């Protein structure tokens, strides 16, 4: 259990919101990290490991023409995966990972190319201006290191989005409820 996963579960629980995960290169590691946190069931809806490109379209609704034109390792694919899992599993937030962990390049992308995405509530009633965020990563290291860093990165992006949405009053209440001052 990592501190970022613990923080994600805590923030989502305090807010009364839920999370769904779509994974490709991480193969379930993000979901495993989140579910290692005691009480994760209060916020975690579930996950889809869409390792095969066709499943990204069939299960997550990623545009088939986009996949055919750009392949699975693409920023827009990551964004559509996050939105698709959020919709499919009925969650407030969706996060996604897609990329190349190695040993070989894929879809014309070199090893270490990774895209992580977060899709959250959008619109004036939800308190979010953007609704979604994608980050492109260029990672070095072994296959295991690239996958581990992808997990850390997607949780970090989600934490930034969650923290950015909290008002000062919500932060104060959260700190007080969790023994802070």
């Amino acid at each position: 259990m990592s501190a970022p996963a613990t923080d994600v579960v805590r923030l989502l629980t305090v807010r009364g919101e839920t999370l769904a995960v779509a994974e490709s290169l991480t193969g379930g590691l993000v979901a495993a990290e989140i579910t290692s946190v005691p009480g994760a069931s209060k916020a975690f809806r579930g996950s889809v490991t869409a390792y095969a490109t066709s499943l990204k379209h069939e299960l997550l609704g990623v545009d088939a023409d986009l996949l055919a034109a750009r392949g699975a390792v693409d920023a827009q694919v990551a964004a559509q995966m996050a939105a698709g899992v959020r919709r499919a599993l009925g969650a407030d937030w969706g996060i996604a990972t897609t990329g190349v962990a190695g040993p070989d390049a894929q879809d014309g992308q070199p090893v270490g190319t990774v895209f992580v995405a977060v899709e959250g509530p959008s619109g004036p009633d939800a308190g979010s201006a953007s609704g979604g965020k994608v980050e492109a990563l260029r990672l070095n290291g072994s296959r295991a290191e690239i996958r581990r860093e992808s997990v850390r990165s997607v949780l970090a992006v989600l934490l930034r989005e969650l923290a950015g949405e909290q008002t000062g009053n919500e932060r104060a209440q959260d700190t007080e409820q969790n023994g802070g001052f």
Side-chain angles (χ1 to χ4, degrees), residues 3 7 35 49 73 86 97 104-105 111 113 129-130 132 134 152 161 167 170 172 178:
D7 290 343
T35 58
T49 301
V73 183
R86 178 178 175 237
T97 62
D104 301 315
V111 172
T113 303
S130 64
V134 178
R152 190 206 63 75
E161 292 295 302
T167 65
E170 286 173 322
N178 288 288

Side-chain angles (χ1 to χ4, degrees), residues 66-67 69-81 98-99 107 109 113-117 134:
L66 173 66
L67 289 167
R70 298 192 194 160
V73 183
D74 179 79
Q76 195 172 353
V77 169
Q80 288 187 18
M81 288 173 64
T98 188
D107 298 330
Q109 299 287 351
T113 303
V114 175
F115 297 94
V116 298
V134 178

Side-chain angles (χ1 to χ4, degrees), residues 57-138:
H57 169 68
E58 294 164 13
L59 297 177
L60 300 172
V62 175
D63 183 85
D65 292 335
L66 173 66
L67 289 167
R70 298 192 194 160
V73 183
D74 179 79
Q76 195 172 353
V77 169
Q80 288 187 18
M81 288 173 64
V85 78
R86 178 178 175 237
R87 184 175 48 254
L89 300 185
D92 297 300
W93 293 87
I95 61 176
T97 62
T98 188
V100 186
D104 301 315
Q106 178 187 335
D107 298 330
Q109 299 287 351
V111 172
T113 303
V114 175
F115 297 94
V116 298
V118 173
E119 175 73 22
S122 59
D125 295 337
S128 173
S130 64
K133 171 94 174 150
V134 178
E135 285 195 8
L137 309 172
R138 183 71 182 103

Side-chain angles (χ1 to χ4, degrees), residues 10 14 84 169:
R10 179 182 52 78
V14 165
N169 188 43

